[in-house]
Amino acid sequence: MRIISAETIHQTMTFPSLIAAIRQSFAGQFGMPPRQVLPLQPGKPEAFALLPAWDENVIGCKLFTYFPDNPSQSKDRLYANILLFSRQSGEPLALLDGISITLWRTAAISALAASYLANPAARTLVLFGTGRLAPYLVRAYASIRPLERVYLIGRDSVKAEQLAVSLQQELQAEYPDLRIESAKCSATVLQSADIICCATAATEPLFPAHWVQPGTLVDALGNHHADCSEIDTQLVVDGTLYLDSRINCLNEAGEVLLPLQAGRIGGQHIQGELADLCRADQLCWQADRVHVFKAVGTALADLAAARMIQSFNC
């Protein structure tokens, strides 16, 4: 069994190849039971989680631990690994670093959804969030749409400015027409957006729905709590709604659960899952509608990314 490090994953991965691999996986036949997040002690936040999935070639399971107090001991809150097995024999194939794959596949899922739900001529991205995922999201979106401007919005304006400067330098050669800058949340900035991505820990909406113009894609991926939402519920009520996984979102995504519980939408309001988009494989963008894509992460995306890396490193 091969052990594949984060360094090898970062050196091997590219967004065009990863997006294509995930698209193929979601368009095909697969098994993906609901993920299991198991509290280690009643009333305590520490948890152990299992995210299994399989296709005709491989079986995979991401295992992660969550210890929110770890930073006080100079340790990470979350540790993850992915195990791959042969679908034909059950033989162990590889153990891969799960954190690096999660960063890459999360951004790739957003870009894959945008390839179906965003304006083909999208020029402006507004990104809320300046954490570890932010650089991956910018690169992923830039790989599938002709972006010319990115606005980074964060609670810490200094951090947002520093990230904008570093990304501008890193991407200058590959995307010479792309301009990246920090910004404050305002109607002017939001109304200029073709894609708005929310990747924060916010527990309340980041901006009002009426700041979003028709034809915009709102990609909400930061929140995993059933009683919270990063985005204004009105966006979900008025927009076309797609999910990465219906079963997972209906278990933990307040963006969907809150309007459902309030009776503002019904189950039929959900237009489809990412698998439906990949199997149809056609542009669903409409210039006169706001599109909302809610993602909480899937084991199948982990599987697709891990399988691709494992095949490159056999």
Side-chain angles (χ1 to χ4, degrees):
M1 182 176 71
R2 185 172 179 83
I3 298 176
I4 302 177
S5 67
E7 181 181 8
T8 297
I9 290 166
H10 289 307
Q11 291 173 346
T12 306
M13 198 81 83
T14 68
F15 278 113
S17 60
L18 178 57
I19 292 168
I22 295 177
R23 189 193 311 270
Q24 182 179 18
S25 289
F26 273 84
Q29 297 299 312
F30 59 85
M32 187 170 59
R35 60 186 175 197
Q36 301 292 310
V37 180
L38 309 172
L40 296 176
Q41 184 177 345
K44 299 291 185 179
E46 293 84 6
F48 175 61
L50 303 89
L51 286 75
W54 57 85
D55 59 21
E56 63 243 16
N57 297 307
V58 291
I59 305 164
C61 187
K62 181 163 77 175
L63 310 171
F64 74 78
T65 56
Y66 177 65
F67 284 72
D69 295 332
N70 270 0
S72 65
Q73 304 174 45
S74 301
K75 297 180 180 179
D76 292 335
R77 289 184 177 87
L78 191 147
Y79 293 94
N81 282 290
I82 298 173
L83 277 165
L84 287 185
F85 304 85
S86 166
R87 178 66 177 84
Q88 283 69 45
S89 67
E91 175 188 7
L93 300 175
L95 174 67
L96 303 94
D97 175 73
I99 298 297
S100 54
I101 282 183
T102 299
L103 290 167
W104 279 92
R105 67 85 159 144
T106 301
I109 286 291
S110 287
L112 177 56
S115 72
Y116 297 115
L117 300 175
N119 186 344
R123 297 289 193 272
T124 302
L125 165 67
V126 174
L127 173 58
F128 286 85
T130 56
R132 293 176 65 185
L133 186 58
Y136 295 86
L137 287 163
V138 173
R139 292 185 177 96
Y141 284 122
S143 74
I144 56 95
R145 285 295 185 264
L147 296 182
E148 295 178 352
R149 189 169 295 277
V150 175
Y151 294 106
L152 299 178
I153 300 176
R155 290 177 298 178
D156 185 333
S157 60
V158 173
K159 184 178 179 181
E161 175 62 26
Q162 291 172 341
L163 179 59
V165 171
S166 65
L167 277 176
Q168 182 72 71
Q169 294 172 345
E170 291 173 19
L171 299 180
Q172 187 66 46
E174 188 174 0
Y175 300 103
D177 296 327
L178 181 60
R179 296 293 174 264
I180 304 172
E181 60 186 278
S182 62
K184 293 183 178 180
C185 182
S186 69
T188 300
V189 170
L190 271 292
Q191 287 167 0
S192 73
D194 297 297
I195 302 170
I196 301 170
C197 179
C198 304
T200 75
T203 57
E204 296 181 352
L206 296 163
F207 50 87
H210 67 267
W211 284 4
V212 180
Q213 296 297 299
T216 304
L217 168 62
V218 179
D219 176 20
L221 58 95
N223 174 54
H224 288 240
H225 299 287
D227 58 351
C228 303
S229 178
E230 283 183 298
I231 61 173
D232 191 331
T233 291
Q234 196 63 45
L235 286 168
V236 176
V237 173
D238 293 340
T240 61
L241 176 62
Y242 288 86
L243 313 176
D244 66 340
S245 163
R246 183 184 294 261
I247 192 169
N248 286 340
C249 285
L250 291 179
N251 187 50
E252 59 187 85
E255 287 77 6
V256 183
L257 290 170
L258 292 176
L260 277 172
Q261 292 163 359
R264 301 191 64 188
I265 64 172
Q268 73 281 359
H269 189 74
I270 300 169
Q271 300 299 302
E273 299 177 281
L274 186 59
D276 300 315
L277 291 169
C278 292
R279 287 165 183 160
D281 200 24
Q282 60 186 15
L283 184 69
C284 296
W285 176 74
Q286 301 173 58
D288 61 345
R289 299 295 302 275
V290 171
H291 304 276
V292 178
F293 179 69
K294 175 59 189 173
V296 294
T298 67
L300 184 62
D302 292 320
L303 181 76
R307 184 182 64 180
M308 187 186 78
I309 291 295
Q310 185 265 337
S311 66
F312 288 162
N313 290 275
C314 287

